Amino acid sequence: MSTQAAMADAATTRPAMPPRPPSRFLALAEPGRALSELATFYALRPLLTTLKKGDGHGVLVLPGFMAGDSSTRPLRSLLSDLGYDAVGWNLGRNVRVDNARVAAMMDCIDELYGRTGRKISIVGWSLGGVFARELAKQAPEKVRQVISLGSPISDDRNHTNAARLFEWLNGREPEPMKDGRFQSLAEAPPVPTTSILTKTDGVVHWRGSIQEAGPETENIEVIASHCGLGVNPAAVFAIADRLAQEEGEWTKFAPEGLASLMFPSCSLH
């Protein structure tokens, strides 16, 4: 049974568990695991350039909570080598969630879309993935697909260890929510949407990253840390595979051969 099918089956046959953040053990293990994944990424960097090549369309990469463009530079560099017009958001650290920041991100989409003359893809890490999904809802005519990495998309902040810090910095209801936006995070945007998640995430519980099964939604499980998702070789393989699809011909992830060994097939429940 595929991971996607297993998730859907689990959702219909088992009662929902109360939201909770990852264990303290997984949270404490994050730094060491992420550094190991970064080292592995650079060790495999020459091999990763042989992944599926892109068609030159624009890819906007959004960083996670408290992070900036430096965290996404390794991924953007690889995507550029694979043939994409990959850019960061150039907005500093991802800390505040207000209307000005949302408008600035929309400007990023408008600029890349206008410069390339084609729909763009958005890759968002953690909170960046939440933004990616919500931005695609506002401008689906400019977005080709969305890929989120360990993003808390469940509408319940109890899935993440960062909830208290986030609310201390932004309040329980950030400005966009007060204006009626960001109200249904679990609802996928009207474009092909991939959620890459890991059951060993130490920041966002993997249940909080699962999106409902649909014709243009999918969940891909990898073995990774939260802070290493953007450089984890399996996650990078999945990102490259998703981005390489021709516009308008999106199909669900189906790794073949040895590549399938990187992706757990156990049911997520």
Side-chain angles (χ1 to χ4, degrees), residues 30 46 64 113 124 132 168 215:
E30 278 287 328
Y113 174 80
W168 183 73

Side-chain angles (χ1 to χ4, degrees), residues 72-146:
T72 66
R73 187 173 295 121
L75 176 59
R76 287 186 286 115
S77 174
L78 174 63
L79 294 180
S80 294
D81 287 348
L82 291 176
Y84 299 98
D85 191 339
V87 301
W89 72 346
N90 197 31
L91 296 174
R93 289 189 176 275
N94 189 351
V95 178
R96 294 285 297 166
V97 181
D98 54 28
N99 289 338
R101 178 53 58 93
V102 174
M105 287 189 287
M106 286 302 303
D107 287 342
C108 292
I109 292 176
D110 291 342
E111 191 281 330
L112 187 56
Y113 174 80
R115 177 163 58 79
T116 60
R118 306 166 64 183
K119 288 185 177 182
I120 71 167
S121 294
I122 311 178
V123 179
W125 195 343
S126 194
L127 180 59
V130 176
F131 288 154
R133 291 164 61 94
E134 296 305 304
L135 293 169
K137 292 176 186 178
Q138 294 183 44
E141 74 282 359
K142 297 178 182 178
V143 179
R144 180 165 168 166
Q145 68 174 306
V146 169

Side-chain angles (χ1 to χ4, degrees), residues 111-210:
E111 191 281 330
L112 187 56
Y113 174 80
R115 177 163 58 79
T116 60
R118 306 166 64 183
K119 288 185 177 182
I120 71 167
S121 294
I122 311 178
V123 179
W125 195 343
S126 194
L127 180 59
V130 176
F131 288 154
R133 291 164 61 94
E134 296 305 304
L135 293 169
K137 292 176 186 178
Q138 294 183 44
E141 74 282 359
K142 297 178 182 178
V143 179
R144 180 165 168 166
Q145 68 174 306
V146 169
I147 302 172
S148 61
L149 309 176
S151 297
I153 57 176
S154 70
D155 286 318
D156 193 321
R157 294 187 195 131
N158 289 322
H159 281 293
T160 172
N161 282 320
R164 289 185 179 180
L165 178 58
F166 176 87
E167 291 180 356
W168 183 73
L169 292 167
N170 294 284
R172 288 192 60 83
E173 248 196 338
E175 207 171 47
M177 293 184 70
K178 293 178 181 178
D179 290 344
R181 292 177 291 174
F182 289 38
Q183 294 288 349
S184 301
L185 302 184
E187 179 184 338
V191 299
T193 307
T194 300
S195 175
I196 298 177
L197 57 99
T198 168
K199 293 181 76 171
T200 55
D201 195 312
V203 178
V204 177
H205 197 286
W206 60 272
R207 293 184 191 277
S209 296
I210 293 179

